[in-house]
Amino acid sequence: KEKSTDLWLNYNHHVQMFLDKVRVNRELRDLDMKKNIEIKVELCEKAEELIFEKSLLEAFKKLQELHRQWKETGPVPSDMRDEIWERFKKASEKIRDIRIAHYEELNKKFAANLEAKQALIEKAKNIASADISTMKDWNAATKEMNELFDLWRTIGPTPKENNDKIWAEFKEILDSFYADRKEFFNAIRSELNENYNKKLNICLEAEAVKESNDWRKTSNELIRLQNEWKKIGPVPKAKSDAIWKRFRAACDEFFERKKKYYENLSDVESENL
C-alpha cells in the first residue's frame, strides 16, 4: 500500500509523456500536411499554366517533372486529398488531350503530304518517260522537273515509315532524268563542235581560192562550198557569228573582185579593138 501512490504517479507521468509526444507528433504532422497542401496547390497552378504553353513538347516535359514532384510530396489532409488530386489530374488530362489532338492532326497532315508527294512522283515519271529528242523539249522538260522539285521542298514531312522511302523513289527519278539530260547535251555539244570543225575547213578552202582569177571555176567552187555550208548543222553559239563572218568575208572578197573585173571588161575590150 505504501508504494501504491508512487506507482500511480510514475505510471501517470509516463502516460502524460506519451500523450505529449502524440500531441507534438500530430502538430508536426499537421504542419507537414499544411506545407504539402501548399506545394500541391502550387503544382496544380503550374500544371494549369502548361495548358497554354505554345510548345507541346516543352509542356509535356514539364508535366512529367510536375508529376515526379507530386509523388515526392507527402500526404495532405484527408478532407482535401481527393479535391486536390482531381484538380491536378484534370489539368494533366487536358494537356494530354491537347497533345493527342495535336498528333492526330499531325498524322492527318503527314498523310496528306504523302499523297501530295506521290502525285509529284507520278508527274515526274511522266516527264522522265516522255520522248524528248530536241534541245527545246529538253529545256522545257527540265523546267517542269525543277518546278516539281521546288514544289516537293515546300511540302512537309510524311509519316516516319514512308519518309525515306518516298524521297528515295523521287530522287531516283530525278537522278535518271538529269543523267539522260547530261548525256543528250554532251552529244549535242560534241555534234556542235564537229559542225564547227567542218565549217572551219570550209572557211580554209574558201580563203585558199578567194584571190584566184579563174572566175568561172572559182565561182563554182565557192557556190559548192556555200551549199555544203547550208547542209551542216549549228555550231556552238559563242562561235556561230565569228565563223559565219569569216566564211562570208572570203566569199565576198572574191565576188567583189569578180564584179569589178567584169565592170571594167567592156573598156578593156574596146581598147583592145
Side-chain angles (χ1 to χ4, degrees):
K1 187 177 180 179
E2 62 273 10
K3 294 184 180 181
S4 178
T5 301
D6 290 338
L7 185 60
W8 172 249
L9 289 174
N10 191 24
Y11 171 73
N12 278 331
H13 169 71
H14 288 293
V15 168
Q16 189 59 46
M17 284 184 64
F18 171 76
L19 293 175
D20 288 342
K21 285 186 177 182
V22 169
R23 181 179 54 79
V24 170
N25 183 62
R26 283 176 179 171
E27 288 174 354
L28 291 174
R29 188 182 66 174
D30 289 345
L31 286 173
D32 194 37
M33 285 188 174
K34 184 179 178 182
K35 183 180 177 182
N36 291 342
I37 194 65
E38 290 174 356
I39 293 172
K40 290 193 173 182
V41 167
E42 186 180 352
L43 292 176
C44 287
E45 290 172 350
K46 288 181 178 179
E48 289 162 352
E49 288 174 3
L50 290 179
I51 295 172
F52 304 100
E53 171 68 48
K54 291 182 179 179
S55 170
L56 289 174
L57 182 61
E58 192 67 22
F60 196 69
K61 282 183 179 179
K62 289 179 179 178
L63 180 63
Q64 289 177 314
E65 174 60 21
L66 293 181
H67 273 267
R68 185 190 66 78
Q69 293 177 25
W70 184 280
K71 290 178 182 177
E72 292 177 357
T73 304
V76 299
S78 58
D79 59 331
M80 301 181 69
R81 188 182 305 147
D82 293 341
E83 180 184 350
I84 196 70
W85 167 244
E86 284 299 321
R87 181 180 174 183
F88 186 68
K89 181 182 175 186
K90 185 177 179 181
S92 300
E93 288 175 348
K94 181 66 177 176
I95 295 168
R96 289 194 180 99
D97 289 344
I98 292 172
R99 186 169 183 263
I100 291 169
H102 169 75
Y103 281 107
E104 286 178 351
E105 187 64 30
L106 209 57
N107 288 335
K108 289 179 184 178
K109 189 175 180 181
F110 286 171
N113 290 344
L114 176 61
E115 191 174 335
K117 287 186 174 181
Q118 286 171 336
L120 291 183
I121 285 175
E122 290 304 314
K123 288 182 180 179
K125 283 180 180 178
N126 291 336
I127 294 172
S129 61
D131 183 17
I132 310 173
S133 56
T134 67
M135 191 180 299
K136 181 180 178 182
D137 290 343
W138 270 108
N139 287 335
T142 302
K143 182 181 177 183
E144 289 183 52
M145 195 67 84
N146 288 342
E147 287 173 354
L148 288 185
F149 181 62
D150 290 340
L151 188 57
W152 180 284
R153 293 166 65 185
T154 65
I155 301 173
T158 64
K160 192 173 182 180
E161 63 272 16
N162 301 104
N163 229 13
D164 292 341
K165 181 181 177 183
I166 198 164
W167 164 244
E169 187 177 355
F170 185 63
K171 187 174 182 296
E172 184 179 358
I173 297 170
L174 290 178
D175 290 345
S176 176
F177 173 81
Y178 287 113
D180 292 343
R181 180 183 184 277
K182 183 179 180 181
E183 184 179 345
F184 173 82
F185 278 98
N186 283 341
I188 289 291
R189 196 173 292 110
S190 176
E191 183 181 347
L192 292 176
N193 288 331
E194 185 178 345
N195 291 342
Y196 175 77
N197 289 331
K198 288 179 180 178
K199 289 188 174 182
L200 182 61
N201 289 333
I202 290 177
C203 285
L204 294 174
E205 289 185 50
E207 289 166 350
V209 299
K210 68 180 182 178
E211 297 179 359
S212 171
N213 293 327
D214 190 343
W215 310 117
R216 181 185 296 276
K217 181 180 178 182
T218 304
S219 294
N220 291 335
E221 177 64 13
L222 289 177
I223 291 171
R224 182 188 69 79
L225 291 177
Q226 288 174 349
N227 290 330
E228 189 176 337
W229 183 282
K230 293 176 183 178
K231 294 177 184 178
I232 300 172
V235 301
K237 193 173 181 180
K239 300 177 180 180
S240 182
D241 288 344
I243 195 72
W244 165 244
K245 288 177 180 178
R246 179 175 175 178
F247 177 58
R248 184 173 178 179
C251 293
D252 287 349
E253 183 178 338
F254 170 78
F255 285 113
E256 188 65 29
R257 287 177 53 251
K258 179 182 176 182
K259 179 181 177 183
K260 288 181 179 179
Y261 172 79
Y262 280 103
E263 283 177 350
N264 297 326
L265 185 58
S266 57
D267 294 337
V268 172
E269 288 175 338
S270 297
E271 186 179 345
N272 290 342
L273 180 58

